Amino acid sequence: MHRKGDRTAWLKGGRATCIAPGPFPKRPWYLVLLGPPGVGKGTQADKLVETYGACHLSTGEIFRAACRNPCEAADSPVMRAALDAMARGELVSDEIVIEIIRERIRCLHCMHGFLLDGFPRTVEQARVLDQLLEQVGTRLDAVILLDAPEEVIIQRLSGRRVCRQCKASWHVQYKPTRVDGICDNCGGELFLRDDDRPESVKVRLDAYRNTIGPVIDHYRDSGVLHVVDASGSPEQVFANIRAVLEAEGRPWEKTLDEAAARQAPPA
Ligand code: AMP
């Protein structure tokens, strides 16, 4: 099942499978969400999953899941190197990330569709994703780039708190809990992610700026890139995304329609 809350195949990789598939959407959406850390990708991903039914595939979550279950995937030199890089706020090497995606290739042609979040982050990753999608016969419908000024991002990141138990995300200013430091959902303790500490935030933003330009150019050249203003409230940002998806639709479908029309015999 690729509804939010399961994603076993994505989080564990290898032979793991999701439990009890739900109904497939009529037309699965295949989307990529790009943007600097802290711009609100996770919040928008939840809304996109709810509205369009796509499965939320976050590479950061794979690493965090490995951190929580060190007995499983994390217990390998490769994963330990990845988790060390992550704790310093650095990017995990392309080699490791690509290996992790290859292991999960089934998720790239799931009939529930997908919303990739945090991948690709380098042009090498974007090229490999193109190859993998071609291999499984899937096309990206849209790449959404969330854009906001740096001050907004730093403010969002430094105030974010995550529940140790249920992993819900809160914000000291924009989404406070009723009791300071305690999760409203489950009573769990809230904590500041290592990579949300000010010293790591700076490294993460630099890493983003240093690698994302060619990824953006890559998708702009492919005609699937949409830049969305993400400086407003979560609801405003989501309205911007919906407007883009619903106005632009799926460029490749238009291309296929045009190709079919060209081949149609004259009336
Ligand atoms: P995120 O939750 O997407 O911000 O990811 C958290 C951390 O995981 C990043 O700061 C990186 O250390 C690592 N990471 C996640 N996805 C990737 C990726 N596609 N390439 C390299 N590192 C990644």
Side-chain angles (χ1 to χ4, degrees), residues 216-232:
I216 294 172
D217 292 344
H218 178 87
Y219 287 126
R220 188 173 285 124
D221 292 349
S222 317
V224 287
L225 183 78
H226 304 284
V227 183
V228 168
D229 176 13
S231 49

Side-chain angles (χ1 to χ4, degrees), residues 102-118:
R102 281 191 201 283
E103 269 185 10
R104 290 157 174 79
I105 191 164
R106 284 175 305 154
C107 294
L108 298 183
H109 58 109
C110 174
M111 290 308 291
H112 286 278
F114 63 67
L115 172 67
L116 278 168
D117 163 11

